[in-house]
Amino acid sequence: MFTKWGIPNNICDNYPIGRDNLNQFVGHSEKIKFLSDLLSNKAVVILEGEIGVGKTSLGNVVRHSKKGFFTPLLEIPCKSHWDNDVFMAIILAAIVKEIMRKESPHRALKKYKIVKEIHTVFSDVKLINLGISGAGFGISKGESLSRAALINQSLLLDYMFRIGRLLKENYRKEAPIIIQLDNLDMGYGFKEEDLMRFFNEIRDTLQNPFFSWIICGNANLGPFLKTNVPRVGQLIQHVAVVEPLPFKEIIAAFRLRIKKANMKGELPLERDLLKLIYDLSNGSFREILNIVYQLLIKYYNEPLVKTITADHARFFFYDAGQAKMESLKRVKSQFTVFKAILDHPGIIQQDLVKVLNIQQPNLSRITKQLETSGYIQIKKRSRSNYYYPDIKLYLGFKGSGLGR
Ligand SMILES: Nc1ncnc2c1ncn2[C@@H]1O[C@H](COP(=O)(O)OP(=O)(O)OP(=O)(O)O)[C@@H](O)[C@H]1O
Ligand SMILES: [Mg+2]
């Protein structure tokens, strides 16, 4: 598909970096060293940052790049309705799965009484999908989650300690087990009260002496927990704010993806266009990957297009966004506000009030509607709101005049 450019088809994959592709990670080297040292003793650390900047990837790199940490393959994508029993069951399942991977399922079950015990109990309540090889140890979503409730709570607690001790004695004398909790995103999946409930629920588990925790969530998770869930806040050793990668590291990351695929091409985007996408994305690598992918898909089989330029982007996203713009034009108040944001990407609330000469409550109502229907993004930073147009609409319609 993209081979005409000498780049791999999966150049824009947006999965977090994990154990199998650690070498595609770029930057953050001091943070990695710092966090890795911190987690060598029992610790709770928060990785917070804007959507798509690379929190999950950074956590994975920290956990997996130091030999001697024991940590399950995947991060745990937390759900707001979990109670502590479900939480413990899922962590135990992840750990047992990892032990079985390291030792082979057969050996692990034979060698460790506790692994066998957990495996048996979890199988009984069908919390484990045994699979043919036994390696398919996993919890399927939905229904099986409630099955954790069928396991006696004190049993789960006992398992958490015994598995902790086992790993300390067998794998790594010093370092705790590292578990990464993911998706603790305020406003996405977790309302404020969900976060408070969830963390109060799992508080005792966080204190288990054998475990260290990396907790990933969107901006402000750390301060939020410190203020609103003080007894959990006290347990937090460090809040790391994950900053967006600088532009040159984004370029380096694309190059690395090409190199690791043993290909020789270059990302066929004009540098200025890529920079524009970067600026508009606020450093969300996920968003950049998404936009670049759409452009590549659009132009890969047009033989005349060697390099994708801002004009190509405008042409494509103008067409793609027309219906959306037409329907916006029918709501005059929203259209006016959108136009102003399109002219001033990143404008702060107070300035927008001035530009439009509009009352703040009215503006808030309209921007909320625009955000919900995907015309703009609102970023909260240091108590102010910043408004950004949707990147695709910006690329398609900026400078088009828009009409009235
Ligand atoms: N330092 C990095 N080097 C190379 N690629 C990266 C880096 N950080 C993130 N990426 C890539 O960017 C994309 C988004 O990363 P990731 O999922 O870790 O972000 P996130 O902040 O956890 O996102 P979300 O807010 O959606 O949870 C992934 O495709 C990942 O591979
Ligand atoms: Mg993530």
PDB file of all heavy atoms in Angstrom, residues 253-270:
ATOM      1  N   ALA A 253      10.530   9.671  15.628  1.00  0.00           N
ATOM      2  CA  ALA A 253       9.697   8.492  15.886  1.00  0.00           C
ATOM      3  C   ALA A 253       9.172   7.896  14.570  1.00  0.00           C
ATOM      4  O   ALA A 253       9.149   6.676  14.403  1.00  0.00           O
ATOM      5  CB  ALA A 253       8.537   8.851  16.807  1.00  0.00           C
ATOM      6  N   PHE A 254       8.786   8.768  13.638  1.00  0.00           N
ATOM      7  CA  PHE A 254       8.351   8.266  12.331  1.00  0.00           C
ATOM      8  C   PHE A 254       9.517   7.556  11.626  1.00  0.00           C
ATOM      9  O   PHE A 254       9.358   6.475  11.062  1.00  0.00           O
ATOM     10  CB  PHE A 254       7.836   9.413  11.446  1.00  0.00           C
ATOM     11  CG  PHE A 254       6.378   9.748  11.675  1.00  0.00           C
ATOM     12  CD1 PHE A 254       6.009  10.974  12.221  1.00  0.00           C
ATOM     13  CD2 PHE A 254       5.382   8.846  11.342  1.00  0.00           C
ATOM     14  CE1 PHE A 254       4.665  11.296  12.420  1.00  0.00           C
ATOM     15  CE2 PHE A 254       4.035   9.154  11.532  1.00  0.00           C
ATOM     16  CZ  PHE A 254       3.673  10.383  12.085  1.00  0.00           C
ATOM     17  N   ARG A 255      10.700   8.176  11.673  1.00  0.00           N
ATOM     18  CA  ARG A 255      11.868   7.577  11.015  1.00  0.00           C
ATOM     19  C   ARG A 255      12.167   6.192  11.581  1.00  0.00           C
ATOM     20  O   ARG A 255      12.473   5.256  10.857  1.00  0.00           O
ATOM     21  CB  ARG A 255      13.102   8.459  11.237  1.00  0.00           C
ATOM     22  CG  ARG A 255      13.020   9.751  10.488  1.00  0.00           C
ATOM     23  CD  ARG A 255      14.388  10.119   9.869  1.00  0.00           C
ATOM     24  NE  ARG A 255      14.222  11.241   8.979  1.00  0.00           N
ATOM     25  CZ  ARG A 255      14.560  12.505   9.295  1.00  0.00           C
ATOM     26  NH1 ARG A 255      15.128  12.777  10.459  1.00  0.00           N
ATOM     27  NH2 ARG A 255      14.349  13.467   8.432  1.00  0.00           N
ATOM     28  N   LEU A 256      12.041   6.109  12.910  1.00  0.00           N
ATOM     29  CA  LEU A 256      12.330   4.848  13.585  1.00  0.00           C
ATOM     30  C   LEU A 256      11.359   3.768  13.131  1.00  0.00           C
ATOM     31  O   LEU A 256      11.729   2.613  12.923  1.00  0.00           O
ATOM     32  CB  LEU A 256      12.211   5.077  15.093  1.00  0.00           C
ATOM     33  CG  LEU A 256      13.097   4.267  16.019  1.00  0.00           C
ATOM     34  CD1 LEU A 256      14.536   4.295  15.575  1.00  0.00           C
ATOM     35  CD2 LEU A 256      12.974   4.794  17.446  1.00  0.00           C
ATOM     36  N   ARG A 257      10.104   4.135  12.974  1.00  0.00           N
ATOM     37  CA  ARG A 257       9.105   3.163  12.514  1.00  0.00           C
ATOM     38  C   ARG A 257       9.473   2.644  11.119  1.00  0.00           C
ATOM     39  O   ARG A 257       9.245   1.481  10.806  1.00  0.00           O
ATOM     40  CB  ARG A 257       7.711   3.800  12.486  1.00  0.00           C
ATOM     41  CG  ARG A 257       7.108   3.966  13.877  1.00  0.00           C
ATOM     42  CD  ARG A 257       5.770   4.670  13.845  1.00  0.00           C
ATOM     43  NE  ARG A 257       5.218   4.754  15.207  1.00  0.00           N
ATOM     44  CZ  ARG A 257       3.932   4.616  15.504  1.00  0.00           C
ATOM     45  NH1 ARG A 257       3.050   4.402  14.560  1.00  0.00           N
ATOM     46  NH2 ARG A 257       3.521   4.695  16.758  1.00  0.00           N
ATOM     47  N   ILE A 258       9.992   3.532  10.297  1.00  0.00           N
ATOM     48  CA  ILE A 258      10.379   3.122   8.943  1.00  0.00           C
ATOM     49  C   ILE A 258      11.613   2.221   8.991  1.00  0.00           C
ATOM     50  O   ILE A 258      11.664   1.162   8.380  1.00  0.00           O
ATOM     51  CB  ILE A 258      10.647   4.364   8.060  1.00  0.00           C
ATOM     52  CG1 ILE A 258       9.341   5.181   7.922  1.00  0.00           C
ATOM     53  CG2 ILE A 258      11.178   3.959   6.694  1.00  0.00           C
ATOM     54  CD1 ILE A 258       9.518   6.577   7.354  1.00  0.00           C
ATOM     55  N   LYS A 259      12.556   2.628   9.814  1.00  0.00           N
ATOM     56  CA  LYS A 259      13.811   1.883   9.913  1.00  0.00           C
ATOM     57  C   LYS A 259      13.581   0.477  10.479  1.00  0.00           C
ATOM     58  O   LYS A 259      14.122  -0.503   9.985  1.00  0.00           O
ATOM     59  CB  LYS A 259      14.761   2.675  10.816  1.00  0.00           C
ATOM     60  CG  LYS A 259      16.164   2.167  10.789  1.00  0.00           C
ATOM     61  CD  LYS A 259      17.134   3.168  11.413  1.00  0.00           C
ATOM     62  CE  LYS A 259      18.335   2.411  11.939  1.00  0.00           C
ATOM     63  NZ  LYS A 259      18.808   2.924  13.223  1.00  0.00           N
ATOM     64  N   LYS A 260      12.750   0.399  11.529  1.00  0.00           N
ATOM     65  CA  LYS A 260      12.508  -0.904  12.144  1.00  0.00           C
ATOM     66  C   LYS A 260      11.781  -1.842  11.197  1.00  0.00           C
ATOM     67  O   LYS A 260      11.757  -3.046  11.402  1.00  0.00           O
ATOM     68  CB  LYS A 260      11.687  -0.768  13.440  1.00  0.00           C
ATOM     69  CG  LYS A 260      12.383   0.028  14.529  1.00  0.00           C
ATOM     70  CD  LYS A 260      13.601  -0.698  15.064  1.00  0.00           C
ATOM     71  CE  LYS A 260      14.375   0.243  15.988  1.00  0.00           C
ATOM     72  NZ  LYS A 260      15.753  -0.152  16.213  1.00  0.00           N
ATOM     73  N   ALA A 261      11.131  -1.285  10.189  1.00  0.00           N
ATOM     74  CA  ALA A 261      10.460  -2.128   9.199  1.00  0.00           C
ATOM     75  C   ALA A 261      11.423  -2.431   8.036  1.00  0.00           C
ATOM     76  O   ALA A 261      11.007  -2.972   7.015  1.00  0.00           O
ATOM     77  CB  ALA A 261       9.214  -1.438   8.676  1.00  0.00           C
ATOM     78  N   ASN A 262      12.701  -2.086   8.237  1.00  0.00           N
ATOM     79  CA  ASN A 262      13.718  -2.306   7.207  1.00  0.00           C
ATOM     80  C   ASN A 262      13.382  -1.637   5.884  1.00  0.00           C
ATOM     81  O   ASN A 262      13.618  -2.195   4.811  1.00  0.00           O
ATOM     82  CB  ASN A 262      13.915  -3.807   6.941  1.00  0.00           C
ATOM     83  CG  ASN A 262      14.660  -4.433   8.071  1.00  0.00           C
ATOM     84  OD1 ASN A 262      15.632  -3.854   8.583  1.00  0.00           O
ATOM     85  ND2 ASN A 262      14.189  -5.591   8.508  1.00  0.00           N
ATOM     86  N   MET A 263      12.804  -0.466   5.970  1.00  0.00           N
ATOM     87  CA  MET A 263      12.500   0.248   4.742  1.00  0.00           C
ATOM     88  C   MET A 263      13.310   1.537   4.702  1.00  0.00           C
ATOM     89  O   MET A 263      13.912   1.926   5.688  1.00  0.00           O
ATOM     90  CB  MET A 263      10.993   0.490   4.646  1.00  0.00           C
ATOM     91  CG  MET A 263      10.250  -0.852   4.604  1.00  0.00           C
ATOM     92  SD  MET A 263       8.494  -0.740   4.367  1.00  0.00           S
ATOM     93  CE  MET A 263       8.390  -0.504   2.615  1.00  0.00           C
ATOM     94  N   LYS A 264      13.319   2.159   3.532  1.00  0.00           N
ATOM     95  CA  LYS A 264      14.272   3.248   3.363  1.00  0.00           C
ATOM     96  C   LYS A 264      13.622   4.588   3.052  1.00  0.00           C
ATOM     97  O   LYS A 264      14.305   5.584   2.853  1.00  0.00           O
ATOM     98  CB  LYS A 264      15.252   2.902   2.221  1.00  0.00           C
ATOM     99  CG  LYS A 264      16.137   1.698   2.510  1.00  0.00           C
ATOM    100  CD  LYS A 264      17.519   1.901   1.944  1.00  0.00           C
ATOM    101  CE  LYS A 264      18.617   1.122   2.635  1.00  0.00           C
ATOM    102  NZ  LYS A 264      18.282  -0.183   3.156  1.00  0.00           N
ATOM    103  N   GLY A 265      12.307   4.606   2.967  1.00  0.00           N
ATOM    104  CA  GLY A 265      11.642   5.829   2.545  1.00  0.00           C
ATOM    105  C   GLY A 265      11.566   6.884   3.633  1.00  0.00           C
ATOM    106  O   GLY A 265      12.157   6.757   4.705  1.00  0.00           O
ATOM    107  N   GLU A 266      10.834   7.927   3.308  1.00  0.00           N
ATOM    108  CA  GLU A 266      10.589   8.995   4.263  1.00  0.00           C
ATOM    109  C   GLU A 266       9.107   9.274   4.311  1.00  0.00           C
ATOM    110  O   GLU A 266       8.408   9.065   3.310  1.00  0.00           O
ATOM    111  CB  GLU A 266      11.292  10.267   3.806  1.00  0.00           C
ATOM    112  CG  GLU A 266      12.740  10.330   4.198  1.00  0.00           C
ATOM    113  CD  GLU A 266      13.114  11.755   4.623  1.00  0.00           C
ATOM    114  OE1 GLU A 266      12.281  12.402   5.305  1.00  0.00           O
ATOM    115  OE2 GLU A 266      14.195  12.205   4.242  1.00  0.00           O
ATOM    116  N   LEU A 267       8.644   9.793   5.412  1.00  0.00           N
ATOM    117  CA  LEU A 267       7.243  10.183   5.489  1.00  0.00           C
ATOM    118  C   LEU A 267       6.984  11.209   4.385  1.00  0.00           C
ATOM    119  O   LEU A 267       7.634  12.249   4.351  1.00  0.00           O
ATOM    120  CB  LEU A 267       6.969  10.793   6.864  1.00  0.00           C
ATOM    121  CG  LEU A 267       5.495  10.963   7.226  1.00  0.00           C
ATOM    122  CD1 LEU A 267       4.842   9.598   7.362  1.00  0.00           C
ATOM    123  CD2 LEU A 267       5.362  11.764   8.500  1.00  0.00           C
ATOM    124  N   PRO A 268       6.033  10.938   3.463  1.00  0.00           N
ATOM    125  CA  PRO A 268       5.898  11.803   2.292  1.00  0.00           C
ATOM    126  C   PRO A 268       5.048  13.036   2.564  1.00  0.00           C
ATOM    127  O   PRO A 268       4.182  13.380   1.775  1.00  0.00           O
ATOM    128  CB  PRO A 268       5.215  10.884   1.275  1.00  0.00           C
ATOM    129  CG  PRO A 268       4.380   9.992   2.131  1.00  0.00           C
ATOM    130  CD  PRO A 268       5.115   9.806   3.414  1.00  0.00           C
ATOM    131  N   LEU A 269       5.306  13.682   3.684  1.00  0.00           N
ATOM    132  CA  LEU A 269       4.556  14.896   3.995  1.00  0.00           C
ATOM    133  C   LEU A 269       5.500  16.081   3.986  1.00  0.00           C
ATOM    134  O   LEU A 269       6.586  15.998   4.566  1.00  0.00           O
ATOM    135  CB  LEU A 269       3.944  14.796   5.402  1.00  0.00           C
ATOM    136  CG  LEU A 269       2.427  14.660   5.473  1.00  0.00           C
ATOM    137  CD1 LEU A 269       2.044  13.286   4.943  1.00  0.00           C
ATOM    138  CD2 LEU A 269       1.951  14.829   6.900  1.00  0.00           C
ATOM    139  N   GLU A 270       5.079  17.138   3.390  1.00  0.00           N
ATOM    140  CA  GLU A 270       5.863  18.367   3.452  1.00  0.00           C
ATOM    141  C   GLU A 270       6.079  18.728   4.917  1.00  0.00           C
ATOM    142  O   GLU A 270       5.148  18.644   5.733  1.00  0.00           O
ATOM    143  CB  GLU A 270       5.061  19.476   2.792  1.00  0.00           C
ATOM    144  CG  GLU A 270       5.861  20.344   1.875  1.00  0.00           C
ATOM    145  CD  GLU A 270       4.956  21.364   1.199  1.00  0.00           C
ATOM    146  OE1 GLU A 270       4.067  21.911   1.886  1.00  0.00           O
ATOM    147  OE2 GLU A 270       5.115  21.567  -0.002  1.00  0.00           O
TER     148      GLU A 270
END
